[in-house]
Amino acid sequence: MELGMVGLGRMGANMVERLVRGKHRVVGYDRDAVAVARVVAAGAEGADSLASLAGKLARPRAVWIMVPSGAPVDETIAALVPHLTKDDILIDGGNSNYKDTQRRAAALEEQGFAFADVGTSGGIWGLKEGYAMMVGGEKATVERLRPLFETLAPAKDQGWGHVGPSGAGHFVKMAHNGIEYGMMQAYAEGFAILKKKKELALDMHQVAEIWRTGSVVRSWLLDLLSIALKENAEMAGIAPYVSDSGEGRWTVAEAIDLDVPAPVITLSLLQRLTSRDTDSYADKLLAAMRNQFGGHAIKAAAKK
């Protein structure tokens, strides 16, 4: 199957490379010509405009959008639509709010276009490990895209699924990221407690390595935390500033709307906000973990 990919940041570029390795034809476009050149070097074809990208794809076309949530998605869709025809599929693989997704799906359906929302997890490790994908949209649309999902996933029948109608993919990914907030916060606080017990002189990396095998708290996040501790056990040079990209806030808002108590996720979100005014070892660990799994930038500690 062939695909157009719009947005060739690190994750988008890695997805393109995995698809190319899986023998799919991919045409990539990004406003940054250097990003396009990188995917061309990996075996994809490049386009210098959205019109060019659409023109290089056989009909019916499928175009995967990997741009920041909000206005950039709407702007990209608006710029793409004039170059597409009925029955082409647009895919939003970013972290959009599911309400925006439902609105976009309805608008595109009126114009004769199919739409799929794909909550995608895997970060910078997805190229090697595969991506977990939570897919929303019409069944027929998802089936048309099945070859792509089977290639991007860890296995053809694992790590991805059609979870429901339009918006469901992004809704499930929202909850996924809320859970992620809570898990990361628990790890960070636990290790902060261990670190604070100075008289025991505990080796943080050693503890993480012990827990990684056989322990009930073992997880991929712990694997990544262990890597971070091996590289920098003191979190030297890392500012205790932990960003949030929106999904945690949306999860908390939905929990309130649905009358579902979610104290752990809520407090983990609030802790990220307080991290911007404190010097916390736990928050440095959170920043390091985000860098490990998603390549998110680390804010350097201020020089004293």
Side-chain angles (χ1 to χ4, degrees), residues 43-156:
E45 296 180 40
D48 59 8
S49 67
L50 293 175
S52 172
L53 178 140
K56 291 185 177 185
L57 295 170
R59 301 177 183 176
R61 291 164 285 210
V63 181
W64 191 305
I65 300 169
M66 287 293 286
V67 300
S69 64
V73 178
D74 288 315
E75 292 164 2
T76 301
I77 291 174
L80 263 172
V81 163
H83 308 295
L84 302 179
T85 55
K86 186 178 178 180
D87 293 331
D88 288 347
I89 303 174
L90 289 101
I91 308 154
D92 182 3
N95 285 324
S96 290
N97 188 299
Y98 81 97
K99 295 178 181 178
D100 289 336
T101 298
Q102 291 174 327
R103 168 180 56 79
R104 292 168 185 143
L108 287 167
E109 183 180 7
E110 289 182 358
Q111 299 174 69
F113 300 110
F115 187 71
D117 52 295
V118 184
T120 309
S121 180
I124 60 176
W125 291 80
L127 175 59
K128 177 183 177 183
E129 305 288 342
Y131 297 90
M133 291 167 290
M134 298 134 264
V135 186
E138 295 293 329
K139 183 177 180 180
T141 300
V142 176
E143 284 302 311
R144 284 172 58 186
L145 299 172
R146 176 180 287 272
L148 301 175
F149 300 140
E150 290 181 342
T151 299
L152 289 168
K156 285 187 175 183

Side-chain angles (χ1 to χ4, degrees), residues 187 191 208 220-230 285 289:
Y187 280 129
F191 277 88
W220 187 50
L221 277 176
L222 183 59
D223 295 342
L224 298 177
L225 175 54
S226 181
I227 294 172
L229 287 167
K230 182 179 181 180
L285 284 172
M289 279 190 279

Side-chain angles (χ1 to χ4, degrees), residues 6 20 23 30 63 65 71-72 90 96 99 111 126 132 137 159 167 174 194 196 221 238 243 280 292 298-299:
V6 179
V20 169
K23 308 303 182 184
D30 194 284
V63 181
I65 300 169
L90 289 101
S96 290
K99 295 178 181 178
Q111 299 174 69
M174 176 199 73
L194 297 175
K196 195 73 171 182
L221 277 176
I238 298 177
S243 299
S280 163
Q292 286 292 332
I298 290 176
K299 184 177 180 179

Side-chain angles (χ1 to χ4, degrees), residues 187-188 190-192 194-195 202-233 235 281 285 289:
Y187 280 129
F191 277 88
L194 297 175
K195 181 71 174 175
L202 298 169
D203 183 328
M204 299 295 100
H205 177 246
Q206 179 194 34
V207 172
E209 284 294 293
I210 292 170
W211 288 356
R212 285 182 59 223
T213 306
S215 166
V216 296
V217 299
R218 65 187 183 274
S219 73
W220 187 50
L221 277 176
L222 183 59
D223 295 342
L224 298 177
L225 175 54
S226 181
I227 294 172
L229 287 167
K230 182 179 181 180
E231 294 175 350
N232 185 1
M235 300 290 108
Y281 183 78
L285 284 172
M289 279 190 279

